[in-house]
Amino acid sequence: MSKKQLLHFELQGEQQEIAVIRLTRGPKRNALNDDLIIALRGIFETLPASVRAAVIDGEGEHFCAGLDLSELQERDAGQGVHHSRMWHAALEQVQHGPVPVIAALHGAVVGGGLELASACHIRVADETTFYALPEGTRGIFVGGGRAVRIPRLIGVARMTDMMLTGRVYNAEDGERIGLAQYLVPAGTAFQKAMEVAQRIATNAPLTNYALTHVLPRIADQPADQGFMTEAMMAAIAQAAPEAKARVRAFLEGRAAKVQKA
Ligand code: 1HE
């Protein structure tokens, strides 16, 4: 399969500010082969400067069936480490690339598919979504970063249960335990993800950077260091001319108030 068929990339929005990245291996349930992982990394390394937010979704009935099991050849231990590190490098680009990334989920979000989703900053799931980590039942382990990312979303105990028992979470329970931040009607995840992306694209880029690059690092720091990093980032953000202009706009009644939910 040529690389062109693995992913679709386009820019949307008046200023070309939203990057849409679609997994296009529908007949294989968007299973992630090596070429696709490398292509994904390339996209995030070379996003145009106009882009302020990105949306990832998958064509067909399912978001993603995880690692392409047909490529799980007999690797020796060293090759296995390099393969895992290739995934790490690609998903690092998603998580710590230039812009916030929203995953629009539907159908199966399993194995490496949940790995990809967990590298995104916001997950919007429709009612058809289901989540599983079937590696435990296939005699393998996670390898693309989930051992680090999933416990941070749902805790070690829930991930252990999912892997030991093959437990499948439906969309509602997935949202309840923190796998997704939004739950929407069937067929509307992409639309909602685009709305969220448009909203995010209106923020000051430095604030978005602080939220995607600095906040998760603060959360990983001991409290004493976290408070100091927070103070540094707060000072840098508020000193920016854009922050001053936005605060002035509010004080002069030119900016939106917070509305009751
Ligand atoms: C695949 C894959 C795949 C489907 N690798 N080819 N992930 C898994 O163990 C999930 C395996 N997949 C499934 O459980 C099911 O396919 C689904 C629930 C996702 C979808 O079911 P369904 O009935 O819609 O599709 P299907 O008939 O099972 O699959 C359609 C085709 O996609 C079929 O190929 P075909 O040639 O017979 O048409 C499947 O073989 C193929 N297909 N999933 C390869 N995963 C870095 S560590 C990551 C570790 C992992 O992610 S391990 C993988 C975990």
Side-chain angles (χ1 to χ4, degrees), residues 1-4 6-7 23 25 28 30-43 64 66-75 79-91 115 143-144:
M1 184 173 279
S2 83
K3 289 186 188 183
K4 264 192 195 154
L6 300 172
L7 286 171
L23 311 177
R25 286 190 88 200
K28 292 290 175 192
N30 296 318
L32 302 167
N33 61 14
D34 287 0
D35 284 345
L36 199 157
I37 291 295
I38 290 165
L40 191 66
R41 177 180 175 168
I43 283 179
C64 179
L67 176 75
D68 187 327
L69 289 166
S70 69
E71 283 193 356
L72 196 66
Q73 316 115 339
E74 290 172 29
R75 299 188 184 100
Q79 290 165 331
V81 169
H82 286 303
H83 184 258
S84 185
R85 298 296 287 159
M86 179 187 84
W87 272 65
H88 292 165
L91 296 190
E115 204 139 54

Side-chain angles (χ1 to χ4, degrees), residues 244-257:
K244 293 187 189 305
R246 284 174 182 240
V247 171
R248 202 179 315 117
F250 173 77
L251 294 174
E252 292 170 3
R254 291 183 284 111
K257 287 185 192 178

Side-chain angles (χ1 to χ4, degrees), residues 27-29 31 62 65-69 87 108 110-112 115 134-135 138 140 143-144 146:
K28 292 290 175 192
R29 307 310 183 244
H62 302 282
L67 176 75
D68 187 327
L69 289 166
W87 272 65
V110 302
E115 204 139 54
E135 289 86 345
R138 306 218 190 281
I140 51 181
R146 250 170 308 160

